Amino acid sequence: SCSNLREINQIHAQLLLNGLLNEPFLHGQFVSSVALRHPNYLDYSTQILDQFDNPTIFAFNSMIRAHSKSSNPQKSFHFYTKILRSNHNPPRPDNYTFTFLVRSCAQLSANETGPGQAVHGAVLKHGFEAEPHVQSGLVYMYAELGLLRCSRKVFDGISEPDLVTLTAMVTACAKSGDVSFARVLFDNMPHKDPIAWNAMISGWRRTKGTGYSFWTEFNVVMVMHNLEAVAWLTALAFAAAFAFSALILRRCLHPRGLTLEEKMLNFDTRTSLLQCRPIGYFPHWYVRGPYA
């Protein structure tokens, strides 16, 4: 790993002098290292890519991936076009190509739906519609573009959605306001990771506010699914922001949730409680705890 452009230039010069960049594998690794570890030098990594007559699909995918995380995700399509137009032993797009392209489309504004739909068409054309990461990416992409019906259509076409796809759909529905369907999916998930928990909590807060109806829904699900610590802390943080912390705290100290000892000994929990303290609801022993 190198830290600045000067060091990258020195390494680049040594690779050229020793003829190592003529090796497709090493060339791809160098392009990937510069593009992904040094996102401020994407133009430089593009120059490295262009210096080789026949870049590998790994090198192209690295550039698409790096730009999908950048402030200019549209440039990902430039490298996809280069893949398609390559004349010498052309590399074929693979599942990673479309995973990163879909991610790029998700970063576009809601009124730029054309590229996402075009990428979805290319996914079907190249036969990657059954790839789990591509599926979950499409679900997320359409939700980010405000096209929940398209997101649902992709999801409904998956015979056995995995945890990644289920979580993406729960997040999409909760974010778009369809909390009822998100709840159905959530209740039937075999494992509920922190992303799914937090998506549901955010959805309830968005649709129910932070009053009694929020807590009623939250309490029912907490009891049903044995609320995990990450979700408990998220709910507490939301509650603190809206001066609703005392009720959440009293409910979460119920024996059916985490034990009092677990909560009081957990550093993150105690930090959250300290943040709630200025609101004025908590006696000092709630924050300090019997084991402080």
Side-chain angles (χ1 to χ4, degrees):
S1 174
C2 36
S3 58
N4 56 51
L5 186 57
R6 182 179 178 182
E7 292 181 9
I8 294 173
N9 279 323
Q10 291 173 347
I11 295 171
H12 190 187
Q14 287 297 318
L15 292 172
L16 287 172
L17 287 172
N18 290 282
L20 296 177
L21 286 185
N22 294 325
E23 296 292 331
F25 175 78
L26 292 176
H27 175 263
Q29 290 293 326
F30 188 50
V31 169
S32 176
S33 177
V34 175
L36 296 176
R37 297 183 182 181
H38 306 279
N40 292 331
Y41 304 143
L42 286 178
D43 289 341
Y44 189 86
S45 56
T46 301
Q47 294 176 18
I48 300 171
L49 182 79
D50 292 340
Q51 288 174 354
F52 195 66
D53 290 335
N54 188 25
T56 62
I57 191 62
F58 175 77
F60 280 120
N61 286 347
S62 296
M63 294 302 299
I64 294 173
R65 180 184 180 186
H67 281 90
S68 74
K69 301 177 180 180
S70 74
S71 59
N72 186 21
Q74 296 93 332
K75 198 166 183 182
S76 296
F77 308 118
H78 166 74
F79 297 98
Y80 179 63
T81 301
K82 289 177 73 72
I83 293 173
L84 299 181
R85 292 179 178 176
S86 181
N87 294 321
H88 306 288
N89 188 24
R92 293 178 59 84
D94 59 15
N95 57 320
Y96 294 105
T97 307
F98 292 110
T99 297
F100 301 139
L101 280 175
V102 167
R103 185 182 297 171
S104 295
C105 295
Q107 307 306 317
L108 303 178
S109 61
N111 60 353
E112 296 182 88
T113 59
Q117 293 171 333
V119 169
H120 192 178
V123 167
L124 297 172
K125 177 181 176 181
H126 290 275
F128 291 107
E129 65 274 11
E131 173 64 33
H133 289 290
V134 175
Q135 291 173 332
S136 61
L138 287 169
V139 167
Y140 176 77
M141 177 194 78
Y142 279 126
E144 287 295 296
L145 296 175
L147 302 173
L148 186 59
R149 290 180 61 185
C150 294
S151 186
R152 282 284 303 271
K153 186 175 181 179
V154 173
F155 180 81
D156 291 341
I158 304 172
S159 56
E160 295 182 4
D162 63 4
L163 179 62
V164 174
T165 307
L166 282 168
T167 301
M169 192 70 239
V170 168
T171 303
C173 290
K175 186 173 182 178
S176 301
D178 190 358
V179 181
S180 298
F181 184 64
R183 171 70 189 278
V184 171
L185 293 174
F186 182 80
D187 286 345
N188 289 284
M189 289 177 70
H191 171 70
K192 298 162 182 61
D193 63 8
I195 297 174
W197 268 114
N198 294 343
M200 289 303 304
I201 293 170
S202 298
W204 290 325
R205 183 179 65 87
R206 194 174 294 112
T207 58
K208 298 177 181 294
T210 53
Y212 184 78
S213 61
F214 166 84
W215 170 247
T216 301
E217 186 84 10
F218 179 74
N219 187 50
V220 170
V221 178
M222 180 183 71
V223 172
M224 284 180 61
H225 300 294
N226 188 22
L227 180 66
E228 297 173 16
V230 172
W232 185 87
L233 290 169
T234 301
L236 186 60
F238 281 143
F242 291 92
F244 191 50
S245 309
L247 180 57
I248 293 285
L249 180 64
R250 288 198 300 269
R251 296 286 188 176
C252 287
L253 289 177
H254 189 278
R256 296 187 68 173
L258 294 174
T259 65
L260 175 62
E261 289 80 8
E262 288 173 322
K263 290 183 176 65
M264 290 299 117
L265 286 172
N266 184 284
F267 176 80
D268 291 332
T269 303
R270 294 170 71 178
T271 302
S272 297
L273 294 179
L274 285 167
Q275 291 173 346
C276 298
R277 195 179 178 190
I279 297 173
Y281 283 121
F282 303 113
H284 181 66
W285 73 269
Y286 267 116
V287 178
R288 181 170 55 83
Y291 300 99

